[in-house]
Amino acid sequence: MSATAAPMGLVPSYHPSGLDRASAYTINPTYGTSIFKGDPVILNANGTVTVGTAAATLLGVFVGCEYVDSTGKPTYSNYYPASVSVQSGSVITAWVITDLETVFEVQMTGQLSATLATAMAAIGDEADIVYTAGSTSTGISGCALNTTLAGAGAQKQFRIIGFGLAPDNAPTDLYPTVRVTLANTQFRAPTTAV
């Protein structure tokens, strides 16, 4: 039973093709906020990615990065450490899942409902992310999905398409895990809740 708040950000669950596809983007090495695996990100006008907070139109979900540190050591990491020192002339590559067909699992910030029928009515609705910085030990996001839903015809960042299939997860749990897809992205027209 999901009785404990233990957010892990947005975790890729599956893609209809069987492959989770990440695209390469860049992070400005002077960017002063850490980005953790499972954080939503946005694409800035200068072509770099930064953390995407609630209500932002998103690029996708960050799944790691690679760079050459200031000593010349290649580094592969679950997270981007804020303002990291990189080798002169090198770039920080951010791997981001932008595909709208990718299904993610994410924990809710609280209970949707104690009644099964009401909790199940969340399927097709949309919600925004609640950003919390992740763990620098694991590199994993601390984000969760808000229990405040958009309602039919309204727009939020992620569409709920179902509930996580773990045996200890139920729609009426205190902190259920849901399956979501990107609904409000920078590259395609947004889709509204049903």
Side-chain angles (χ1 to χ4, degrees), residues 10-15 20 37-38 61-63 97 102-105:
L10 294 139
V11 178
S13 179
Y14 70 90
H15 187 279
D20 295 330
K37 184 175 186 177
V61 176
F62 180 84
V63 291
I97 296 176
T102 302
V103 176
F104 299 92
E105 289 197 2

Side-chain angles (χ1 to χ4, degrees), residues 116-165:
L116 182 60
T118 307
M120 293 299 288
I123 296 174
D125 212 330
E126 295 180 6
D128 283 339
I129 205 74
V130 174
Y131 178 78
T132 302
S135 165
T136 56
S137 298
T138 64
I140 303 298
S141 173
C143 292
L145 197 65
N146 201 322
T147 54
T148 302
L149 304 178
Q155 176 69 61
K156 298 264 184 183
Q157 293 170 315
F158 293 93
R159 173 174 286 186
I160 299 169
I161 63 164
F163 289 85
L165 301 179

Side-chain angles (χ1 to χ4, degrees), residues 1-81:
M1 201 173 194
S2 300
T4 305
M8 68 290 193
L10 294 139
V11 178
S13 179
Y14 70 90
H15 187 279
S17 71
L19 301 171
D20 295 330
R21 297 179 178 98
S23 300
Y25 290 89
T26 58
I27 300 172
N28 186 332
T30 62
Y31 181 55
T33 301
S34 294
I35 308 174
F36 297 89
K37 184 175 186 177
D39 279 352
V41 292
I42 61 172
L43 183 64
N44 296 305
N46 66 5
T48 63
V49 297
T50 57
V51 170
T53 55
T57 302
L58 302 173
L59 170 64
V61 176
F62 180 84
V63 291
C65 66
E66 57 187 84
Y67 55 91
V68 178
D69 73 13
S70 57
T71 68
K73 176 186 170 192
T75 303
Y76 304 90
S77 180
N78 277 342
Y79 84 106
Y80 159 76

